[in-house]
């Protein structure tokens, strides 16, 4: 997407901020000299830019951020100073658009249920929000993208009814062939990922609802329980090798760090406390953790844990970057910890830790 006013700020459109795990930056391009200047810092994600009518401020989506740990809308001066959140709440907000008079900021939000178009009064000069958010549209499907007409009297939009289906089947491991027909698991329609417990009796799912959360269900669909029931974002869990603990990443401490909790929902504990976003942790059989770290680029780190007991790891040691894993995301680790499977530029890649 290119947002132009006496130059150009270029970035990408965010269709679903819940599935965004990377960062963008705002740049200004002088249309005459072709000189480019970055105006946002690396601790912010900055996408979906839109100029205010007078050109004093730019509104943008902060979909993945250490600084705020939220998916919200910010405004910033045209010189890159004074970044100011429009909201700092638990709703997911994105896709800002200024009204023609600069008195309103329109945006997409799930704060009322399915994502729809909202607006809030705003001081164009300071970026200060005025009053409370007002719903503009309503419906049963998520609205994921909008475009306003030049005179701001009509809106084109794209909506979606996103569903997923989880299936389970037995297979021959030596032949990599199915032994039974896949059966549909009785889970909600908004499951993002799933992990089977080491004993094969429980299923851990990451559910993309208004509250991102992790849920444990018995393999027959009974006993469904949300492990953490609060307003923080609880994202993408994995089982420890003994099946007693679940590791996930969350913004409940500010930025995104790793946390652990027992499979029965007790003993919630923070595992990492670092300046970067630490996400997508996977255990190896020797109880090392491998995780993806987001700073200026994504890469994989190895995290050692010590003093392992009934309550889980008492502390961590080492935060070792794995050379050669730049760009890896959505990782999986072999039981021995030697191979890392991940997604790199929309392709599946396997990395040999020992050979590099």
């Amino acid at each position: 997407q290119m947002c132009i006013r006496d130059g150009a700020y270029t970035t990408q459109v965010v269709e679903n901020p819940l599935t965004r795990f990377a960062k963008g930056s705002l740049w200004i391009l002088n249309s005459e000299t072709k000189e480019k200047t970055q105006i946002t810092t690396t601790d912010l994600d900055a996408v979906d830019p839109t100029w205010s009518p007078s050109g004093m401020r730019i509104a943008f989506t902060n979909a993945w951020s250490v600084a705020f740990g939220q998916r919200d809308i910010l405004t910033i001066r045209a010189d890159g100073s004074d970044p100011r959140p429009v909201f700092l709440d638990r709703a997911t907000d994105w896709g800002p658009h200024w009204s023609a008079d600069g008195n309103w900021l329109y945006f997409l939000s799930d704060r009322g249920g399915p994502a729809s178009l909202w607006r809030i009064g705003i001081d164009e000069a300071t970026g200060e929000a005025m009053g409370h958010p007002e719903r503009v549209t309503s419906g049963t499907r998520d609205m994921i993208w909008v475009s306003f007409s030049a005179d701001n009297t009509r809106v084109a939009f794209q909506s979606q009814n996103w569903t997923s289906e989880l299936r389970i089947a037995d297979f021959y491991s030596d032949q990599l062939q199915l032994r039974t027909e896949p059966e549909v698991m009785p889970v909600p329609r908004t499951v993002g990922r799933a992990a089977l417990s080491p004993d094969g009796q429980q299923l851990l799912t990451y559910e993309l609802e208004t509250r991102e959360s992790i849920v444990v269900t018995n393999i027959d669909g009974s006993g469904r329980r949300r492990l953490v029931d609060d307003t923080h974002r609880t994202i993408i869990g994995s089982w420890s090798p003994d099946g007693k603990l679940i590791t996930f990443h969350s913004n409940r401490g500010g930025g995104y760090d790793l946390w652990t909790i027992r499979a029965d929902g007790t003993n919630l504990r923070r595992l990492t406390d670092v300046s970067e976003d630490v996400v997508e942790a996977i255990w190896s059989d020797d109880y090392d953790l491998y995780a993806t770290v987001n700073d200026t680029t994504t890469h994989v780190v190895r995290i050692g844990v010590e003093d392992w007991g009934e309550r889980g790891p008492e502390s961590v040691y080492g935060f070792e970057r794995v050379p050669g894993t730049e760009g890896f995301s959505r990782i999986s680790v072999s039981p021995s910890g030697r191979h890392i499977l991940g997604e790199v530029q929309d392709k599946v890649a396997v990395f040999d830790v020992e050979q590099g």
Side-chain angles (χ1 to χ4, degrees), residues 123-200:
D123 185 325
E124 184 186 358
T126 66
E128 181 181 357
M130 314 291 288
H132 299 286
E134 301 177 4
R135 186 195 291 270
V136 178
T137 64
S138 60
T140 58
R141 291 190 176 186
D142 287 327
M143 186 180 292
I144 62 172
W145 174 84
V146 295
S147 178
F148 285 73
S149 62
D151 60 4
N152 277 276
T153 60
R154 300 185 68 84
V155 176
F157 67 90
Q158 179 181 351
S159 65
Q160 71 174 5
N161 187 18
W162 185 80
T163 61
S164 61
E165 191 174 77
L166 183 63
R167 300 189 177 199
I168 187 168
D170 294 333
F171 75 102
Y172 298 103
S173 58
D174 58 339
Q175 302 175 29
L176 296 181
Q177 292 182 347
L178 293 181
R179 187 162 58 89
T180 61
E181 287 296 318
E183 297 180 8
V184 178
M185 292 292 295
V187 296
R189 67 179 181 87
T190 53
V191 171
R193 295 199 193 180
L196 198 61
S197 63
D199 63 6

Side-chain angles (χ1 to χ4, degrees), residues 1-5 7-13 29 49-51:
Q1 180 183 11
M2 183 172 289
C3 179
I4 301 175
R5 184 186 178 90
Y9 288 77
T10 307
T11 186
Q12 69 184 76
V13 176
L29 172 65
T50 178
W51 285 93

Side-chain angles (χ1 to χ4, degrees), residues 248-251 255-259 270 272-274 276 278:
F248 60 92
H249 66 271
S250 175
N251 67 347
Y256 286 94
D257 275 294
L258 301 184
W259 295 70
R270 189 172 188 166
T272 64
D273 186 2
V274 295
E276 305 99 331
V278 188

Side-chain angles (χ1 to χ4, degrees), residues 3-5 9 26 39 44 48-60 68 73-86 96-99 102 104-105 122-129:
C3 179
I4 301 175
R5 184 186 178 90
Y9 288 77
L26 294 189
I39 66 167
L44 281 176
D48 286 343
T50 178
W51 285 93
S52 67
S54 67
M56 290 187 288
R57 298 188 75 86
I58 303 162
F60 62 91
F68 296 99
I73 293 170
L74 281 74
T75 68
I76 195 170
R77 294 184 187 276
D79 62 2
S81 64
D82 191 30
R84 178 171 298 191
V86 178
H97 179 86
W98 295 86
S99 64
W104 296 91
L105 192 66
I122 193 167
D123 185 325
E124 184 186 358
T126 66
E128 181 181 357

Side-chain angles (χ1 to χ4, degrees), residues 28-343:
I28 184 170
L29 172 65
N30 187 301
S31 57
E32 295 182 356
T33 66
K34 309 303 181 183
E35 180 182 0
K36 295 186 296 183
T37 304
Q38 184 174 344
I39 66 167
T40 54
T41 56
T42 56
D43 62 345
L44 281 176
D45 180 29
V47 288
D48 286 343
T50 178
W51 285 93
S52 67
S54 67
M56 290 187 288
R57 298 188 75 86
I58 303 162
F60 62 91
T61 302
N62 174 52
W64 184 257
S65 169
V66 175
F68 296 99
Q70 289 294 122
R71 295 182 173 99
D72 273 317
I73 293 170
L74 281 74
T75 68
I76 195 170
R77 294 184 187 276
D79 62 2
S81 64
D82 191 30
R84 178 171 298 191
V86 178
F87 307 102
L88 273 179
D89 56 22
R90 297 299 175 185
T92 298
D93 307 310
W94 75 101
H97 179 86
W98 295 86
S99 64
D101 58 11
N103 293 328
W104 296 91
L105 192 66
Y106 289 82
F107 60 97
L108 295 172
S109 179
D110 64 1
R111 62 186 56 241
S116 55
L117 185 64
W118 292 68
R119 71 174 188 173
I120 190 169
I122 193 167
D123 185 325
E124 184 186 358
T126 66
E128 181 181 357
M130 314 291 288
H132 299 286
E134 301 177 4
R135 186 195 291 270
V136 178
T137 64
S138 60
T140 58
R141 291 190 176 186
D142 287 327
M143 186 180 292
I144 62 172
W145 174 84
V146 295
S147 178
F148 285 73
S149 62
D151 60 4
N152 277 276
T153 60
R154 300 185 68 84
V155 176
F157 67 90
Q158 179 181 351
S159 65
Q160 71 174 5
N161 187 18
W162 185 80
T163 61
S164 61
E165 191 174 77
L166 183 63
R167 300 189 177 199
I168 187 168
D170 294 333
F171 75 102
Y172 298 103
S173 58
D174 58 339
Q175 302 175 29
L176 296 181
Q177 292 182 347
L178 293 181
R179 187 162 58 89
T180 61
E181 287 296 318
E183 297 180 8
V184 178
M185 292 292 295
V187 296
R189 67 179 181 87
T190 53
V191 171
R193 295 199 193 180
L196 198 61
S197 63
D199 63 6
Q201 298 304 304
Q202 297 183 95
L203 191 67
L204 174 66
T205 55
Y206 162 50
E207 299 184 1
L208 297 168
E209 300 173 343
T210 301
R211 293 180 301 162
E212 294 165 88
S213 58
I214 53 175
V215 174
V216 171
T217 309
N218 294 331
I219 200 68
D220 62 1
S222 65
R224 183 179 184 274
R225 59 192 182 279
R226 193 187 307 271
L227 290 183
V228 183
D229 194 8
D230 57 27
T231 58
H232 298 289
R233 302 189 188 281
T234 304
I235 306 174
I236 305 179
S238 65
W239 297 91
S240 63
D242 60 8
K244 294 180 178 180
L245 282 181
I246 290 166
T247 303
F248 60 92
H249 66 271
S250 175
N251 67 347
R252 63 193 56 248
Y256 286 94
D257 275 294
L258 301 184
W259 295 70
T260 62
I261 192 170
R262 293 185 65 85
D264 61 5
T266 62
N267 196 31
L268 174 66
R269 307 181 68 192
R270 189 172 188 166
L271 194 58
T272 64
D273 186 2
V274 295
S275 59
E276 305 99 331
D277 288 325
V278 188
V279 300
E280 298 182 318
I282 303 292
W283 295 92
S284 65
D285 279 355
D286 58 4
Y287 287 88
D288 276 343
L289 271 171
Y290 290 81
T292 303
V293 169
N294 277 323
D295 42 35
T296 55
T297 60
T298 61
H299 57 270
V300 178
V301 295
R302 181 192 294 112
I303 305 168
V305 299
E306 60 186 356
D307 300 328
W308 189 273
E310 279 298 310
R311 282 163 43 89
E314 294 294 330
S315 59
V316 302
Y317 65 90
F319 197 78
E320 178 187 356
R321 183 167 181 158
V322 180
T325 59
E326 290 73 17
F328 269 66
S329 63
R330 306 180 189 276
I331 64 170
S332 181
V333 178
S334 64
S336 66
R338 176 170 177 173
H339 295 96
I340 298 174
L341 180 71
E343 182 179 310

Side-chain angles (χ1 to χ4, degrees), residues 338-351:
R338 176 170 177 173
H339 295 96
I340 298 174
L341 180 71
E343 182 179 310
V344 181
Q345 297 180 346
D346 297 325
K347 296 181 180 179
V348 176
V350 177
F351 181 79

